[in-house]
Amino acid sequence: MNENAASSLQAAGKIDGPSSSWASEFRATFALAWPLVIAQLAQNALHTTDVILLGWLGSTYLAAGTLATTFLMPFLVGGIGVVGAVAPLVAQARGSRDIKAVRRIVRQGCWAAIALAAALVPIVLQIKPIYQALGQDPAATELADQFIQIAAWSLFPALGIIAFRSLLSAFDATRAILVITVFGVLINALTAYVLIFGHFGFPRLELRGAAIATTLTNVFMLLAMVLYVIRHRRLKRFHVLLRFWKPDWPRFREIFRIGTPIGLTVLAEVGMFTAAALLMGRLGTDEVAAHAIALQCASIAFMVPLGLGIAATVRVGMAYGRGDVEGVRKAGWTSFVMGTAFMTFSCISFLTFGPHIVTVFLDPHVEANANSLTLAASFLVVAGIFQLVDGAQVVAAHSLRGLSDTKVPMLLAIVGYWMVGLPIAYVLGFVANMRGVGIWIGLAAGLAFVAVVLVTRFAMRERLNLLNGMRPA
């Protein structure tokens, strides 16, 4: 790499040399991760805002909105997984001080986002005939279709955001991600409130208003990230939009080679929880409500190891790119220890305060809620143990992504979720008559299997030749 390229990378963010101490790695990981954790929580708030506002319209609109987002979400998270391959690739390029590679990877990440959205939008727009074929309620399907006909187009900016967010994460600009996401939450809340209910002279658009707000918010967040990258003094010298139309087919294929297994892994996990919800539906409405409460509690806690996992991808990828075997070890295990430590805390909280936590979601003074609250508290006991393995598997998976190791982890995850977790959930829930608790034990078992095999794979990375692609230090 030439001297100008090296100086540009140095200006864009401090490049680590040979691996530093454990304390330095801890500080670097924490500084990178904490804005990502809060940004993930804020991202969840985008959906929560829409749920609250649609609930104000009435249960019919909330049900229709839920049907619509349930249909859209697998396409969105699958696409996010694919474009998310930009993060480890950019981190590796940073580690090897290859400025041209940074620009080309981000550019091809944008191409991948556009290509994926163009392929997925026509499928998403077919929600009405698909739901009709599945026997869904015609009135709810009609309302869900109104939402999707607009919200489907949000896939373009939503996937584009991932390409630029990956760049910002790889160069330690996670506070910018946090600020932009928080502003996105505020813009979404205000726009949705105005357009759903027709305030301040705007027409009352109901579900269409929510869809417009979602799409505009994603457009705002994408434009904000692009402007930050092309104007910020540390990042503008990368010229990520330079000759945007110029293809780089090897890197385009590399994004799909690494990203497709990531997308399928995420879909496998989402699918397991969707199937668990359907199993709960066979038990009764109280079980479904209790499951939703326990899952929401687990999801909130999950944002911390998820943020640490994203940081692990960057830190491991940088060490991999600069040929630092010891740096890979410290980056991966530091994130693992931090994630496990937090999930131990959340485990203790669920086990100790579970009966009190669930009352945040349902009024304990309403007699009709008594059974759901009891069930939710029992699910949280299992969810406490669930926390430990869930945190371990997500950090391990992201650390392996930093090594561009995604195909085998995908296969292991599919086996764990669908051949271990769900069968155990069904057997314990229905054959052993443990009902909802049995289903949650099955979820925990699936995640535990995935956690053990992925942590073991990272620990055996040298024996498995996962570091063979590293450049000499």
Side-chain angles (χ1 to χ4, degrees):
M1 186 185 71
N2 64 43
E3 191 173 322
N4 290 334
S7 63
S8 295
L9 278 166
Q10 292 282 5
K14 181 181 180 292
I15 297 176
D16 295 332
S19 59
S20 53
S21 67
W22 286 100
S24 297
E25 185 62 43
F26 176 89
R27 289 192 295 269
T29 300
F30 181 80
L32 186 64
W34 76 260
L36 291 171
V37 170
I38 301 176
Q40 290 295 327
L41 290 168
Q43 191 74 37
N44 275 359
L46 287 171
H47 175 66
T48 302
T49 301
D50 289 342
V51 169
I52 292 171
L53 293 176
L54 290 176
W56 291 356
L57 279 178
S59 59
T60 301
Y61 292 94
L62 179 57
T66 301
L67 279 176
T69 54
T70 299
F71 185 79
L72 177 63
M73 196 56 61
F75 298 99
L76 177 60
V77 298
I80 287 173
V82 175
V83 183
V86 172
L89 292 174
V90 170
Q92 291 167 17
R94 179 187 175 186
S96 61
R97 305 186 180 190
D98 190 344
I99 188 172
K100 289 184 179 179
V102 172
R103 176 169 60 245
R104 291 174 179 176
I105 292 166
V106 175
R107 183 173 66 208
Q108 294 310 300
C110 294
W111 278 43
I114 293 170
L116 280 167
L120 294 176
V121 166
I123 301 173
V124 175
L125 292 176
Q126 301 309 308
I127 182 175
K128 187 174 180 179
I130 291 173
Y131 270 0
Q132 287 175 339
L134 293 174
Q136 292 294 322
D137 179 73
T141 297
E142 187 66 38
L143 288 173
D145 184 61
Q146 293 177 12
F147 181 91
I148 285 294
Q149 294 302 315
I150 299 170
W153 300 98
S154 68
L155 285 172
F156 283 97
L159 297 183
I161 286 169
I162 302 305
F164 284 93
R165 191 182 74 181
S166 297
L167 172 65
L168 293 174
S169 297
F171 282 90
D172 308 327
T174 51
R175 294 189 185 188
I177 298 172
L178 170 59
V179 171
I180 291 169
T181 306
V182 169
F183 271 105
V185 172
L186 296 176
I187 289 171
N188 182 70
L190 177 61
T191 307
Y193 178 73
V194 168
L195 296 180
I196 289 174
F197 300 104
H199 293 300
F200 307 114
F202 286 88
R204 180 185 174 96
L205 299 176
E206 298 177 343
L207 277 164
R208 291 189 178 92
I212 292 172
T214 296
T215 305
L216 290 178
T217 299
N218 279 282
V219 170
F220 159 78
M221 293 172 64
L222 174 60
L223 292 177
M225 288 188 182
V226 172
L227 287 173
Y228 184 87
V229 168
I230 66 177
R231 295 179 65 88
H232 195 275
R233 61 181 179 81
R234 295 189 305 155
L235 298 172
K236 65 182 181 181
R237 62 189 68 199
F238 284 110
H239 303 292
V240 294
L241 298 182
L242 181 68
R243 293 191 291 274
F244 184 80
W245 59 88
K246 185 179 180 180
D248 187 337
W249 298 119
R251 286 191 170 87
F252 184 79
R253 289 191 292 269
E254 183 76 353
I255 288 171
F256 277 90
R257 185 186 71 81
I258 296 173
T260 300
I262 297 175
L264 292 176
T265 300
V266 176
L267 282 175
E269 185 172 3
V270 170
M272 179 181 70
F273 283 99
T274 300
L278 295 175
L279 290 177
M280 287 288 183
R282 296 178 59 180
L283 297 175
T285 55
D286 286 345
E287 281 81 356
V288 172
H291 175 73
I293 292 170
L295 191 58
Q296 184 62 34
C297 294
S299 297
I300 293 171
F302 180 73
M303 293 302 105
V304 175
L306 178 58
L308 286 165
I310 297 171
T313 297
V314 172
R315 297 296 299 171
V316 171
M318 287 170 55
Y320 181 89
R322 66 176 181 263
D324 184 357
V325 175
E326 181 66 10
V328 168
R329 183 173 78 93
K330 288 180 178 175
W333 290 121
T334 296
S335 297
F336 176 81
V337 169
M338 293 171 69
T340 304
F342 175 83
M343 291 309 241
T344 300
F345 169 77
S346 65
C347 170
I348 294 171
S349 299
F350 284 6
L351 295 177
T352 306
F353 304 109
H356 303 286
I357 293 172
V358 297
T359 60
V360 173
F361 298 88
L362 288 174
D363 187 351
H365 300 103
V366 177
E367 187 177 350
N369 294 337
N371 190 39
S372 292
L373 287 170
T374 301
L375 289 169
S378 67
F379 294 169
L380 275 187
V381 172
V382 184
I385 309 302
F386 172 107
Q387 294 294 290
L388 299 175
V389 293
D390 203 14
Q393 66 87 19
V394 72
V395 174
H398 279 80
S399 295
L400 291 169
R401 290 172 194 174
L403 304 176
S404 296
D405 180 36
T406 58
K407 186 175 181 180
V408 172
M410 172 198 70
L411 297 175
L412 294 173
I414 291 173
V415 170
Y417 298 145
W418 288 88
M419 299 177 68
V420 176
L422 277 178
I424 291 176
Y426 180 83
V427 170
L428 293 182
F430 296 92
V431 178
N433 202 32
M434 295 177 67
R435 299 178 65 84
V437 171
I439 292 173
W440 268 83
I441 292 175
L443 294 176
L447 288 166
F449 174 89
V450 176
V452 169
V453 295
L454 293 186
V455 171
T456 302
R457 185 170 178 80
F458 182 78
M460 298 178 64
R461 60 197 175 278
E462 293 186 60
R463 294 185 189 179
L464 297 172
N465 300 320
L466 301 184
L467 305 184
N468 280 2
M470 292 178 65
R471 300 181 181 185

